[in-house]
Amino acid sequence: MTQHDHLLDAYARLVVKTGLNIQKGQQLLVTAPLDAVPLVRRITEHAYRDGASLVTTIYSDNAATLARFAHAPEEAFDVAPGWLFNGMAEAFKAGAARLAIAGENPSLLAGQDPKKLARANKARSQAYRPALELITGFAINWCVAAAATPAWAKSVFPGVPEAAAMEQLWKAIFACTKADQPDPIAVWEKHNADLHRRTDFLNNRRYRALKYSGPGTDLMLGLADDHFWKGGGGKALNGVFCNANIPTEEVFTAPHKDRVDGTLSSTKPLSYQGSLIDGIRVRFEAGRIVEMTAEKGEEAFRSLIGTDEGAARLGEVALVPHSSPISASGIIFNNTLFDENAASHVAVGQSYTENIRDGSKRSKQELAALGANSSLVHVDWMIGSGKLDVDGILPDGTPEALMRKGEWAI
Amino acid sequence: MTQHDHLLDAYARLVVKTGLNIQKGQQLLVTAPLDAVPLVRRITEHAYRDGASLVTTIYSDNAATLARFAHAPEEAFDVAPGWLFNGMAEAFKAGAARLAIAGENPSLLAGQDPKKLARANKARSQAYRPALELITGFAINWCVAAAATPAWAKSVFPGVPEAAAMEQLWKAIFACTKADQPDPIAVWEKHNADLHRRTDFLNNRRYRALKYSGPGTDLMLGLADDHFWKGGGGKALNGVFCNANIPTEEVFTAPHKDRVDGTLSSTKPLSYQGSLIDGIRVRFEAGRIVEMTAEKGEEAFRSLIGTDEGAARLGEVALVPHSSPISASGIIFNNTLFDENAASHVAVGQSYTENIRDGSKRSKQELAALGANSSLVHVDWMIGSGKLDVDGILPDGTPEALMRKGEWAI
């Protein structure tokens, strides 16, 4: 075994045990790009060793996707593999666990006919909904992890030869997921305990707002009434504790859509629908962005926040320490699984129901009355740095230090 | 493009146009081993060029199968991916075409625990039945073709280095499927016309028996009443003409289970459940094998024909010219798709309903009364050679030459 093989195996074991926590007799359904075969084989072996009854992997192939865009007529893009997604939903209902291996080429479909893209995305979203609702509803234990692939590696390390780019990306994945540490599973137990200690602390303090201070940032960000902080692993409705994202560093909750005031500056670039947006500076009044500039991609950002009323308001606020291993890597991954764990961030647009107490039992009207935001979009952008201070504001107005110079103060 | 790439593309085009005859707007569902990715990519492109709306490939991985046998407990083998097979059945019902790429390692599971194998096969057969019935019932256009894979190539050419074995197997596949000819699609049209001319001739003559004469063979083989000859392409219930096997050289029908008398000798070895059987010599009385010897594997053959009452009687008779490209290759493929097209053959065991006129509308009792055979097994073995003569016996007893020295006389 090479050093890479050792690390790949440790990573696979971490995904199966800590990510999925596969149960004896449980089926496992994997989706992965073809380039992830070596990782999927390691994962498959660990799943069987841990008692999985059957592991089924559905591979995707970039070449097949591109052949469709090159040769199929526009009306073909209204068709999606509903039969496969319905089969997946049937598997989840029967208790199968779910693993998604990310690693797609971030710019695979750049330059393709936007009409075909829109029709394909719509058809796929509609056909996938029954399966997706079982995932987002946390019916079964599931996990998203990543595999380095040549196209992704080249996008992260442009100009670097493919083999070296692959090696660097794998090294970054192993570091960010802690798979390169002597006992990754124990490290994740402690990591989860840290995240849960923080979400418990934050949920107990019931801050009414967060105050952000840093270069270009002076913001009072009101939190939704009955907001709920989430982070790290959790128990699915089938009773299995799993970690749905490997890696994860964030704790996150719902802002109040009408109670954000002041200025906020981005600290890392954002890739949105093929456009690079950087140097964002916005001013909020009563929750709404009323002024904005950006050093790059200003039009794209203006278009984003103009999508609908909710797109100019916040739907998520997440705290991530500046020393997070993803941030420490200094790499822009062009992949949300990693990039959203690199820095404290906010998202304009739709908020998560799970970030309101008993959110799934409340009506849309009730959620909106509590301050939850509603929009067709949900786009994260990074505001964290080694110069950011964050205070929690208690109901009586008293500030408490949450982060100092980008690191946890709690 | 290399010469191999040219041939691979011509073969892919043949499979899509002649094998499947994919229709505009039709979905295509492919199953294939991971080693077949280059062929599947060519097929995918041709399918989209011909108007397929969506091509979905489910890849199988030998390593994952072996990991299950190595590590999963015995009770896990009662589990099959019913959710996937149900999805496939849903796709077929909605009109999707079906392509199976064969190329598995023929001895992949040799030496595995027979109990696990039996449970896995049973669970898989039961779960696959709803999808399989749509295939065997010819509800939609479908095709089985093959891809050379390293494990298969090494089993066909033992002792030959892998790259050379792969090259030789691909060369043999291209030759046997006629993909290496200047216009394979036109060649297949003529080939189908030849096969249909022969099945039409044979169906019109309504022979009551075939008489076989050759070294070690002197046999009067009665045909089932209302037997029906089949061969080459046909029209599925969705109205699409397709060629379900690429290659195919045989015309075949149902013997009468009680009207076979005389001696019959095999001409090529037969691999049955891991045992090699060669030099079979049997004597029939009133349809039943009453004496048998074999130079190799006699016990295995005795066990086969002892499975049940129908296993000692014939269920299929097929005529293949000795000059068939598969025979001319001189290769034992260890794969039924090829080997059954290498020589005239018979099968002990179950007969095909399609080989009785209106067979699907008749009861089991009616089929048996016409002479159709019934058994749990259906095993082909080769009896053709360059020294075999076959006569058709008209209802009045007049013989007509059908094959002379292994070649068609009609």
Side-chain angles (χ1 to χ4, degrees):
Chain A
M1 259 195 183
T2 64
Q3 173 68 1
H4 174 77
D5 291 338
H6 270 293
L7 286 166
L8 195 70
D9 191 65
Y11 177 50
R13 188 165 177 269
L14 177 71
V15 168
V16 170
K17 289 185 181 292
T18 299
L20 289 167
N21 189 15
I22 196 83
Q23 301 293 296
K24 287 206 192 314
Q26 195 175 27
Q27 281 199 52
L28 171 59
L29 203 169
V30 183
T31 53
L34 272 181
D35 290 311
V37 166
L39 173 63
V40 171
R41 286 181 175 168
R42 302 310 309 140
I43 284 169
T44 301
E45 180 177 327
H46 281 291
Y48 281 131
R49 283 181 184 276
D50 283 2
S53 60
L54 181 63
V55 181
T56 306
T57 301
I58 310 290
Y59 285 102
S60 57
D61 183 11
N62 289 344
T65 304
L66 290 176
R68 191 179 189 214
F69 275 88
H71 302 296
E74 197 182 309
E75 59 271 23
F77 291 84
D78 293 335
V79 174
W83 60 269
L84 179 60
F85 297 148
N86 290 344
M88 288 168 66
E90 179 185 327
F92 302 153
K93 280 179 197 156
R98 168 83 168 96
L99 174 64
I101 302 291
E104 299 296 350
N105 178 355
S107 55
L108 179 69
L109 297 177
Q112 295 297 339
D113 179 352
K115 283 185 203 160
K116 289 182 179 177
L117 271 169
R119 289 171 87 150
N121 287 338
K122 187 178 172 194
R124 197 174 173 85
S125 298
Q126 287 176 341
Y128 191 50
R129 191 174 301 164
L132 183 64
E133 283 177 355
L134 292 162
I135 298 298
T136 55
F138 215 6
I140 40 104
N141 44 326
W142 61 270
C143 179
V144 182
T149 63
W152 181 25
K154 281 188 281 190
S155 95
V156 177
F157 304 104
V160 175
E162 182 175 303
M166 279 289 282
E167 196 180 325
Q168 287 180 44
L169 183 53
W170 269 125
K171 194 178 166 190
I173 291 172
F174 294 146
C176 293
T177 58
K178 313 176 205 290
D180 62 355
Q181 299 196 26
D183 185 349
I185 291 166
V187 170
W188 267 80
E189 279 173 14
K190 180 178 176 309
H191 178 55
N192 252 321
D194 286 348
L195 290 169
H196 290 157
R197 190 173 54 74
R198 291 207 170 87
T199 54
D200 287 349
F201 177 91
L202 293 165
N203 283 324
N204 285 332
R205 301 303 280 172
R206 294 183 173 255
Y207 296 118
R208 66 168 165 83
L210 303 181
K211 184 173 189 323
Y212 289 81
S213 309
T217 289
D218 181 11
L219 188 77
M220 186 65 81
L221 185 153
L223 296 175
D225 299 333
D226 283 355
H227 67 268
F228 192 71
W229 289 88
K230 300 268 291 183
K235 195 179 272 193
L237 296 180
N238 67 352
V240 182
F241 183 93
C242 65
N243 282 275
N245 282 187
I246 286 190
T248 187
E249 300 287 338
E250 60 173 351
V251 298
F252 60 102
T253 194
H256 195 295
K257 66 183 174 64
D258 301 324
R259 297 180 192 157
V260 183
D261 290 274
T263 55
L264 185 60
S265 296
S266 71
T267 52
K268 288 176 191 278
L270 153 70
S271 171
Y272 177 67
Q273 291 192 344
S275 295
L276 194 77
I277 304 171
D278 203 4
I280 301 167
R281 205 182 155 104
V282 297
R283 190 166 67 78
F284 288 87
E285 274 183 20
R288 194 166 194 289
I289 294 173
V290 292
E291 282 177 31
M292 68 134 307
T293 58
E295 289 165 19
K296 278 189 195 162
E298 185 170 304
E299 271 317 300
F301 192 73
R302 195 179 304 279
S303 161
L304 164 64
I305 65 175
T307 306
D308 53 23
E309 172 60 25
R313 299 176 185 270
L314 296 183
E316 181 194 347
V317 54
L319 298 176
V320 179
H322 183 60
S323 62
S324 106
I326 294 102
S327 174
S329 76
I331 297 168
I332 306 293
F333 286 85
N334 300 327
N335 183 307
T336 307
L337 180 63
F338 289 83
D339 290 333
E340 73 168 3
N341 288 301
S344 289
H345 54 273
V346 292
V348 290
Q350 180 69 35
S351 57
Y352 295 118
T353 309
E354 62 182 334
N355 282 136
I356 302 289
R357 275 177 209 271
D358 299 323
S360 61
K361 297 172 190 163
R362 300 189 192 239
S363 70
K364 278 187 183 175
Q365 289 75 6
E366 286 178 278
L367 291 170
L370 294 169
N373 195 28
S374 176
S375 171
L376 287 172
V377 298
H378 177 105
V379 178
D380 291 296
W381 43 291
M382 307 302 153
I383 59 166
S385 73
K387 295 175 181 170
L388 186 71
D389 290 345
V390 183
D391 285 350
I393 308 297
L394 287 167
D396 68 1
T398 310
E400 294 185 336
L402 292 181
M403 295 188 117
R404 284 297 176 263
K405 293 188 192 299
E407 300 304 325
W408 284 112
I410 58 170
Chain B
M1 259 197 184
T2 64
Q3 173 68 2
H4 174 77
D5 290 339
H6 271 292
L7 286 167
L8 195 71
D9 192 64
Y11 177 50
R13 188 165 177 270
L14 176 72
V15 167
V16 170
K17 288 186 181 289
T18 300
L20 289 166
N21 189 15
I22 196 84
Q23 302 292 296
K24 287 205 193 313
Q26 194 174 28
Q27 282 200 51
L28 172 59
L29 202 169
V30 183
T31 52
L34 272 180
D35 290 311
V37 167
L39 173 63
V40 171
R41 286 180 174 168
R42 301 313 308 141
I43 285 169
T44 301
E45 180 177 328
H46 281 290
Y48 282 129
R49 283 181 184 275
D50 283 2
S53 60
L54 180 64
V55 180
T56 307
T57 301
I58 310 290
Y59 285 102
S60 57
D61 183 10
N62 289 343
T65 304
L66 289 176
R68 190 179 189 214
F69 275 89
H71 303 296
E74 197 183 308
E75 58 272 22
F77 291 84
D78 294 334
V79 174
W83 59 270
L84 179 59
F85 297 149
N86 290 345
M88 289 168 66
E90 179 185 328
F92 301 154
K93 281 179 197 155
R98 167 83 168 97
L99 173 64
I101 302 291
E104 298 296 349
N105 178 354
S107 54
L108 179 69
L109 297 178
Q112 296 296 339
D113 180 352
K115 282 185 203 159
K116 289 183 179 176
L117 271 169
R119 290 171 85 151
N121 286 337
K122 188 178 170 193
R124 198 175 172 86
S125 298
Q126 287 176 341
Y128 191 49
R129 191 172 300 163
L132 183 64
E133 283 178 355
L134 293 163
I135 298 298
T136 56
F138 215 6
I140 41 102
N141 44 327
W142 61 270
C143 179
V144 182
T149 64
W152 181 25
K154 282 189 279 188
S155 95
V156 177
F157 303 105
V160 175
E162 182 176 303
M166 280 289 282
E167 197 180 323
Q168 287 180 44
L169 184 54
W170 269 124
K171 194 177 168 191
I173 291 172
F174 295 146
C176 293
T177 58
K178 313 177 206 290
D180 61 355
Q181 299 195 25
D183 185 349
I185 290 166
V187 170
W188 267 80
E189 280 173 12
K190 183 180 173 309
H191 178 56
N192 252 321
D194 288 346
L195 290 169
H196 289 156
R197 189 173 56 75
R198 291 207 170 89
T199 54
D200 287 350
F201 177 91
L202 292 164
N203 283 323
N204 286 331
R205 301 304 279 171
R206 295 182 172 255
Y207 295 118
R208 66 169 164 84
L210 303 181
K211 185 174 190 320
Y212 288 80
S213 310
T217 289
D218 180 12
L219 188 78
M220 185 65 80
L221 186 154
L223 297 175
D225 299 333
D226 283 354
H227 67 269
F228 191 72
W229 290 87
K230 299 269 290 184
K235 195 179 272 193
L237 296 180
N238 67 350
V240 182
F241 183 91
C242 66
N243 282 275
N245 281 188
I246 286 190
T248 188
E249 300 286 338
E250 61 174 352
V251 298
F252 59 101
T253 194
H256 194 296
K257 66 184 172 63
D258 302 324
R259 298 181 192 157
V260 183
D261 290 274
T263 56
L264 184 61
S265 296
S266 71
T267 52
K268 288 175 190 278
L270 152 70
S271 171
Y272 177 67
Q273 291 193 343
S275 295
L276 195 77
I277 304 172
D278 204 4
I280 302 167
R281 206 182 155 105
V282 297
R283 190 166 68 79
F284 288 87
E285 275 183 19
R288 194 167 195 289
I289 294 174
V290 292
E291 281 176 33
M292 69 132 308
T293 59
E295 289 165 19
K296 277 188 197 163
E298 186 171 303
E299 270 318 299
F301 192 72
R302 195 178 305 278
S303 160
L304 165 63
I305 65 174
T307 306
D308 53 24
E309 172 61 25
R313 298 176 185 271
L314 296 184
E316 180 193 348
V317 54
L319 299 176
V320 178
H322 183 60
S323 61
S324 106
I326 294 102
S327 173
S329 76
I331 297 169
I332 306 292
F333 286 84
N334 301 327
N335 184 306
T336 306
L337 180 63
F338 289 83
D339 290 333
E340 73 168 4
N341 288 301
S344 289
H345 54 273
V346 292
V348 290
Q350 179 70 34
S351 57
Y352 295 118
T353 309
E354 62 182 333
N355 282 135
I356 302 289
R357 275 176 208 272
D358 300 323
S360 61
K361 297 172 190 164
R362 300 189 193 239
S363 70
K364 279 189 182 174
Q365 288 75 8
E366 286 178 278
L367 291 171
L370 294 170
N373 195 28
S374 176
S375 171
L376 286 173
V377 297
H378 176 106
V379 178
D380 292 295
W381 43 290
M382 308 302 153
I383 58 165
S385 73
K387 294 176 181 168
L388 186 71
D389 291 345
V390 183
D391 286 349
I393 309 296
L394 287 167
D396 67 2
T398 310
E400 294 185 337
L402 291 182
M403 295 189 117
R404 285 294 176 264
K405 292 188 194 300
E407 299 305 325
W408 284 112
I410 57 170

